[in-house]
Amino acid sequence: MAIYLFYGEETYLLETRVKKIKKEYQQLILGINFIQIDDTNVEELIADLETPAFGFDKKLIIAKNTGIFKKEKKTTKSDSKKKKVDDIKLPLNEKIAKYIQGNLEELKNTVDLVFVEQEVDKNALYQTIEKVGEVKEFALLKLPDLIANIKKITVAYKVNIDDATAKYLVECCGTSMQDLINELRKLIEYKGENSNITKQDIDLLCTKQIQAVIFDLTDNLGKKEISKALEVYNGLISNKEPIQKILITLYNHFKKLYIIKIAEKYNEDVATAMNLKPNQLFLVSKYKTQARYFETQELREVLEALIDLDANYKIGLISLEIGLEAILCRYCSK
């Protein structure tokens, strides 16, 4: 039995690994030698492990987003008193772990079992797979690996992109390889063979993540260029970005700039203070550059204005769209 647990945010690389396992099978017939499990039928997993793959030597079971790797809720004393000892059942993850441990030899040549989850806790099933199979986390890649992958893809299509432009693509479109590949497809198709992808091409064709757009907006705010700041803001509105999401993203962005000011004042590590993920560390210098546009008190006032706007919106005193525009105009003109 080959058993795997794959989890993490880097879904493209994770799914690529799953596809590789599937390719080991010459033919997969759903319900016969290919079983799909999710949170609605995970209780049937043991029965599926026991059922032979009629007409095939081996079968593949993919259990995706089942929820069985999450911690079980603790039973209170009052709850346990209501139950007799004989009525207490093992949690499902422990049942499956126990079954796998007790039937490894029988399952060895008949089943491949792949668990795919977003997040996991190290419960009994996790520990069992760690001992008898493979556990792999697919974390979002760091900048050097992202740039290397981007260049590898463009080279395969005979298109060139330099490191600085690849970094700019990541800044605009995020650190998910699937998102980056989707944007690269557009760029490669547009440019054609033996061409160079430029930052202007990315600005023209790529769908920027809201965080990247907020960076642009904040740059204009810091430079006191009100028309450009409002142009970026109106672009978000035109693209039907939820106004609540704009407010939250803008607040979190200014909060990071404020944290930088405080961290620098007390000689603390900026990246640690900002609580950035390892794959986001390349943004530190960009945040620090933007923080220089503003005084600490000014950033605090913006944060308070955004908090007040949220409160007034919730009681119906003002619309978020008008309130945000007013805040942008106010702090652009200072």
Side-chain angles (χ1 to χ4, degrees):
M1 179 188 191
I3 178 170
Y4 310 90
L5 168 59
F6 302 144
Y7 69 98
E9 296 180 82
E10 184 40 76
T11 56
Y12 174 76
L13 296 179
L14 189 157
E15 291 296 338
T16 299
R17 181 67 190 278
V18 173
K19 286 176 184 176
K20 188 176 179 181
I21 293 171
K22 291 172 77 172
K23 280 184 179 179
E24 295 174 4
Y25 288 76
Q26 291 183 345
Q27 184 182 22
L28 287 172
I29 300 176
L30 189 62
I32 305 297
N33 73 329
F34 180 38
I35 308 296
Q36 292 180 313
I37 298 288
D38 57 26
D39 61 336
T40 64
N41 62 348
V42 67
E43 296 277 352
E44 302 168 13
L45 178 56
I46 291 176
D48 286 320
L49 288 169
E50 292 174 329
T51 305
F54 300 104
F56 295 89
D57 294 330
K58 203 172 188 180
K59 68 177 172 182
L60 173 63
I61 299 177
I62 296 181
K64 190 171 184 178
N65 298 329
T66 62
I68 58 173
F69 289 91
K70 294 178 180 177
K71 288 181 180 177
E72 298 284 334
K73 291 182 179 178
K74 291 183 179 179
T75 306
T76 63
K77 290 182 179 180
S78 58
D79 288 335
S80 59
K81 286 179 181 178
K82 294 176 184 177
K83 296 180 180 179
K84 295 179 181 179
V85 175
D86 293 341
D87 294 333
I88 297 175
K89 297 180 179 179
L90 282 175
L92 183 57
N93 77 81
E94 291 184 28
K95 278 186 187 178
I96 296 170
K98 188 176 180 181
Y99 178 82
I100 290 171
Q101 290 169 358
N103 296 274
L104 271 177
E105 285 303 313
E106 292 86 342
L107 297 169
K108 191 174 182 180
N109 299 312
T110 59
V111 179
D112 285 329
L113 175 58
V114 182
F115 288 99
V116 177
E117 301 287 337
Q118 291 180 338
E119 297 178 357
V120 298
D121 290 314
K122 295 184 179 181
N123 59 17
L125 182 54
Y126 179 102
Q127 293 168 16
T128 294
I129 298 172
E130 209 171 26
K131 290 176 184 176
V132 303
E134 178 185 349
V135 175
K136 182 171 178 60
E137 179 183 7
F138 289 83
L140 290 173
L141 299 177
K142 295 180 181 179
L143 185 63
D145 295 321
L146 290 169
I147 291 175
N149 283 346
I150 289 169
K151 296 185 78 170
K152 184 178 178 181
I153 292 167
T154 54
V155 166
Y157 287 91
K158 298 179 181 178
V159 177
N160 301 312
I161 186 170
D162 61 34
D163 286 7
T165 307
K167 180 184 177 184
Y168 183 67
L169 179 64
V170 175
E171 290 175 354
C172 292
C173 303
T175 54
S176 162
M177 271 309 302
Q178 186 60 68
D179 290 341
L180 291 169
I181 287 170
N182 291 341
E183 299 304 328
L184 277 174
R185 284 173 179 159
K186 292 189 284 186
L187 292 164
I188 291 167
E189 183 69 24
Y190 174 72
K191 298 295 289 188
E193 288 187 8
N194 302 315
S195 60
N196 298 307
I197 294 172
T198 66
K199 290 183 179 180
Q200 290 75 21
D201 297 325
I202 293 170
D203 289 335
L204 177 66
L205 294 174
C206 293
T207 304
K208 291 186 176 183
Q209 290 193 343
I210 186 171
Q211 185 59 63
V213 179
I214 294 298
F215 261 115
D216 292 341
L217 191 154
T218 310
D219 267 334
N220 292 314
L221 277 177
K223 295 171 184 175
K224 310 303 181 188
E225 295 179 349
I226 186 166
S227 60
K228 289 184 180 179
L230 290 177
E231 183 181 340
V232 175
Y233 171 67
N234 289 325
L236 287 170
I237 301 297
S238 299
N239 290 331
K240 302 191 183 302
E241 199 71 60
I243 192 67
Q244 293 90 347
K245 185 177 179 180
I246 297 174
L247 173 65
I248 292 168
T249 308
L250 196 60
Y251 176 83
N252 287 334
H253 188 84
F254 274 97
K255 184 178 178 182
K256 284 185 173 70
L257 300 184
Y258 181 72
I259 288 171
I260 286 173
K261 290 287 192 182
I262 301 301
E264 289 179 336
K265 181 179 178 180
Y266 293 101
N267 295 317
E268 294 181 5
D269 181 69
V270 169
T272 303
M274 293 170 69
N275 197 29
L276 293 177
K277 295 179 181 179
N279 66 302
Q280 296 175 316
L281 294 179
F282 71 96
L283 291 172
V284 169
S285 61
K286 195 169 182 179
Y287 276 113
K288 289 174 75 173
T289 298
Q290 283 201 340
R292 295 191 191 105
Y293 288 134
F294 305 92
E295 298 297 331
T296 304
Q297 183 58 34
E298 190 177 12
L299 289 169
R300 186 179 182 88
E301 288 173 4
V302 173
L303 291 172
E304 289 174 351
L306 292 171
I307 292 170
D308 289 342
L309 171 60
D310 182 56
N312 289 329
Y313 161 72
K314 287 175 179 175
I315 59 175
L317 292 181
I318 191 172
S319 78
L320 286 183
E321 190 171 333
I322 293 172
L324 276 174
E325 188 169 331
I327 291 171
L328 296 181
C329 289
R330 187 189 318 161
Y331 289 98
C332 266
S333 59
K334 281 193 172 185

